[in-house]
Amino acid sequence: MNFQKIALILLTVFSLTAISRAQQEARHPGIILYEQGKYKEAAESLKNAVSKDPNKSNATLWSYLGLSQTEKGEGKNAVKSLEKATALEPSNPSFRVNLSYAYLRNRQINRSQAEAKKAIELDPKRLTAYYLLGIGYLAERKFGEAEQEAERLLSIDPTYPEGHILKSDAVIGRLGILLEKGEDDLNISNELQKAFEILKKGEEASRSNPNHDRIVKLLEPLQAFVDYYKNRKPYVPGQ
């Protein structure tokens, strides 16, 4: 399971209660640096900011600090920062999602799923929470459950690319079990074709989504695998 894959997801859209506060925080240099992908500089700036806060009560800055630390590979520090943000604002589903993300990157699957479920309780339409739940199930080789989360996600927003990718990945995960059992090429080809068709339909459904290209990039290599197993001739010893 490639945990780096989920780093492509946008997890930094917060629902703040005060517009004036949100506008002020949005201009914080550390947040700007994070949005520019300068995670080391962002972490330094945000760490300095929260250390100077006498009450250490700015949940948004703590959350961005945790995300910056996550992208730097500072898993334990990231979890601590995001746990702080969530403790300050336990009813904020975005902070729950971000903590779930950090737990997942830190290989703490059970905790990741617990936070994702809390985020869904707070906001049943929180797409990234369903996605993170599904990724956790993939990591646990619970491919049926992963596919169910993909279906739940897509019932909310059928244009969401990650929902289709998650559903296809669940099929590919089951394919891994077939390979372990030594299934013949026809069965493998059929499963690959099924995964490809899921992505193809997802590509058509998500064309209005700005992240549509994420599916497009996966279609060609998956088609190559389909063609390989479809056309491969069985090995016969002595020939």
Side-chain angles (χ1 to χ4, degrees):
M1 173 65 208
N2 184 0
F3 284 81
Q4 299 301 320
K5 177 180 176 181
I6 62 172
L8 299 174
I9 315 168
L10 178 63
L11 297 175
T12 56
V13 181
F14 300 114
S15 301
L16 299 175
T17 55
I19 294 177
S20 59
R21 178 182 173 188
Q23 291 173 337
Q24 181 180 5
E25 290 170 341
R27 302 314 306 157
H28 188 279
I31 295 176
I32 294 172
L33 287 167
Y34 175 84
E35 292 171 345
Q36 293 174 342
K38 299 177 180 178
Y39 303 121
K40 180 180 179 181
E41 295 88 342
E44 292 173 353
S45 176
L46 291 162
K47 189 174 183 179
N48 183 54
V50 296
S51 67
K52 289 182 177 180
D53 178 2
N55 297 317
K56 293 182 170 50
S57 60
N58 191 319
T60 297
L61 295 184
W62 278 105
S63 194
Y64 270 105
L65 173 59
L67 289 171
S68 299
Q69 291 168 326
T70 298
E71 300 308 327
K72 283 181 62 187
E74 298 179 5
K76 292 182 179 180
N77 289 334
V79 164
K80 289 180 181 178
S81 297
L82 288 161
E83 286 177 340
K84 176 70 172 178
T86 303
L88 289 167
E89 293 189 24
S91 297
N92 189 317
S94 292
F95 295 160
R96 294 283 183 184
V97 165
N98 293 337
L99 180 55
S100 173
Y101 173 62
Y103 279 141
L104 187 60
R105 289 282 296 269
N106 213 34
R107 276 51 171 188
Q108 295 174 276
I109 307 299
N110 291 339
R111 290 186 175 185
S112 172
Q113 292 186 317
E115 291 300 325
K117 289 175 182 178
K118 289 176 184 176
I120 291 170
E121 290 175 5
L122 293 166
D123 180 5
K125 294 185 178 181
R126 184 65 49 154
L127 300 178
T128 46
Y130 293 103
Y131 182 79
L132 289 169
L133 265 178
I135 291 293
Y137 284 130
L138 287 182
E140 295 178 318
R141 295 168 64 89
K142 296 179 179 178
F143 304 118
E145 288 89 338
E147 191 168 0
Q148 288 177 5
E149 294 305 326
E151 293 288 1
R152 292 173 68 190
L153 192 165
L154 292 171
S155 70
I156 299 169
D157 183 0
T159 74
Y160 193 66
E162 281 74 20
H164 300 284
I165 294 170
L166 176 61
K167 187 175 179 180
S168 178
D169 283 351
V171 174
I172 292 173
R174 286 196 293 269
L175 174 61
I177 295 177
L178 293 179
L179 288 168
E180 290 173 1
K181 292 180 177 179
E183 290 285 338
D184 60 41
D185 286 356
L186 179 60
N187 288 337
I188 293 171
S189 177
N190 289 340
E191 288 299 302
L192 281 171
Q193 185 65 41
K194 181 179 178 181
F196 177 81
E197 289 173 359
I198 290 170
L199 277 189
K200 185 61 179 176
K201 290 179 181 178
E203 185 274 328
E204 295 171 357
S206 65
R207 287 178 182 174
S208 62
N209 190 292
N211 296 318
H212 165 255
D213 65 322
R214 293 178 186 169
I215 290 185
V216 175
K217 292 177 181 178
L218 296 174
L219 281 171
E220 185 175 347
L222 187 53
Q223 180 66 73
F225 275 108
V226 172
D227 293 341
Y228 170 76
Y229 275 100
K230 186 180 294 184
N231 300 320
R232 191 172 79 155
K233 295 181 179 179
Y235 171 70
V236 179
Q239 288 190 352

